[in-house]
Amino acid sequence: GAGVSQSPSNKVTEKGKDVELRCDPISGHTALYWYRQSLGQGLEFLIYFQGNSAPDKSGLPSDRFSAERTGGSVSTLTIQRTQQEDSAVYLCASSRNRGGDADTQYFGPGTRLTVL
Amino acid sequence: AQSVTQLGSHVSVSEGALVLLRCNYSSSVPPYLFWYVQYPNQGLQLLLKYTSAATLVKGINGFEAEFKKSETSFHLTKPSAHMSDAAEYFCAVSDTGRRALTFGSGTRLQVQP
């Protein structure tokens, strides 16, 4: 079946602009995660959605970062007033809530964000 | 709090040689442990996982890893390296209380002909 998809695959923006990154999880997966991969910081957790529960935002680096998940499916990560240090690959992952595979996260191909 | 340490940011082996990528973890509760592989310009692909069943875990592409609680280790091995194994490998930990993955810094594997 279809995997996790992310769009756009690449995004170049100017410092100070807002950007939106989209993630479509695997159908039926109730958990959705955002991670950031950068040269300096490696792979970092950003935010986690599980069904209708309040999201775990503990990994968001600043209040310029926010995310929402509409209808328990598609998620959008928004970065306001982008800075050069926001340049990174943003990865989305999804997983089931229960069953033998519930602990396995499946990753999308990522969105490469470049802030000029 | 959880943490993962991967010893060796770069490992180079000859084709056909043993691959050994090291991972040590820290977790205050029984962990779930994972190895992911990332090929250039691609996302992360799961190689294998440990979730408190058998301590020797077999994954895809001939890789396996052994969970050793006494050593807090989860090293990844493959008996014979192939050129197609060249990639970056990440060890990660989670648990029932914190589903989000904590990743190691990654090890880039180079396979020489």
Side-chain angles (χ1 to χ4, degrees):
Chain A
V4 178
S5 61
Q6 294 185 243
S7 61
S9 56
N10 281 282
K11 176 72 176 178
V12 180
T13 190
E14 294 179 348
K15 178 181 174 181
K17 301 282 190 182
D18 297 352
V19 295
E20 287 188 349
L21 312 179
R22 177 187 169 105
C23 172
D24 282 270
I26 294 172
S27 178
H29 281 192
T30 58
L32 187 148
Y33 307 77
W34 284 97
Y35 295 88
R36 177 169 72 173
Q37 186 174 25
S38 58
L39 283 177
Q41 302 298 323
L43 273 157
E44 306 172 279
F45 162 72
L46 295 177
I47 187 168
Y48 160 47
F49 296 90
Q50 174 58 275
N52 295 321
S53 302
D56 176 356
K57 304 179 182 179
S58 60
L60 294 179
S62 78
D63 58 8
R64 296 187 295 105
F65 288 72
S66 63
E68 63 177 19
R69 189 176 186 193
T70 53
S73 182
V74 171
S75 177
T76 302
L77 178 69
T78 301
I79 309 173
Q80 296 179 307
R81 305 180 303 280
T82 52
Q83 303 295 312
Q84 289 183 331
E85 61 263 29
D86 299 334
S87 295
V89 176
Y90 290 82
L91 294 167
C92 177
S94 69
S95 69
R96 299 181 190 280
N97 183 41
R98 58 188 63 195
D101 205 26
D103 45 69
T104 300
Q105 295 180 31
Y106 295 89
F107 283 79
T111 293
R112 182 174 298 276
L113 174 66
T114 303
V115 182
L116 301 177
Chain B
Q2 302 167 332
S3 67
V4 175
T5 302
Q6 290 184 242
L7 292 177
S9 58
H10 289 82
V11 170
S12 182
V13 300
S14 299
E15 191 172 19
L18 171 72
V19 175
L20 170 61
L21 304 183
R22 298 179 186 274
C23 172
N24 288 87
Y25 71 92
S26 172
S27 178
S28 57
V29 297
Y32 296 157
L33 293 161
F34 305 82
W35 276 99
Y36 282 87
V37 61
Q38 186 176 37
Y39 298 101
N41 300 314
Q42 295 187 25
L44 297 167
Q45 180 182 4
L46 180 69
L47 275 178
L48 49 80
K49 64 180 181 182
Y50 166 79
T51 56
S52 76
T55 56
L56 181 61
V57 181
K58 294 188 183 297
I60 62 172
N61 301 339
F63 284 93
E64 62 181 38
E66 186 172 6
F67 172 68
K68 292 187 176 180
K69 184 178 179 180
S70 60
E71 298 177 8
T72 60
S73 68
F74 192 57
H75 302 328
L76 181 71
T77 61
K78 182 174 180 177
S80 176
H82 192 272
M83 297 296 290
S84 61
D85 294 328
E88 188 150 22
Y89 293 79
F90 293 92
C91 183
V93 64
S94 70
D95 59 56
T96 55
R98 178 179 170 81
R99 293 285 185 178
L101 293 168
T102 299
F103 286 91
S105 54
T107 297
R108 186 168 298 279
L109 176 65
Q110 187 176 23
V111 182
Q112 306 283 359

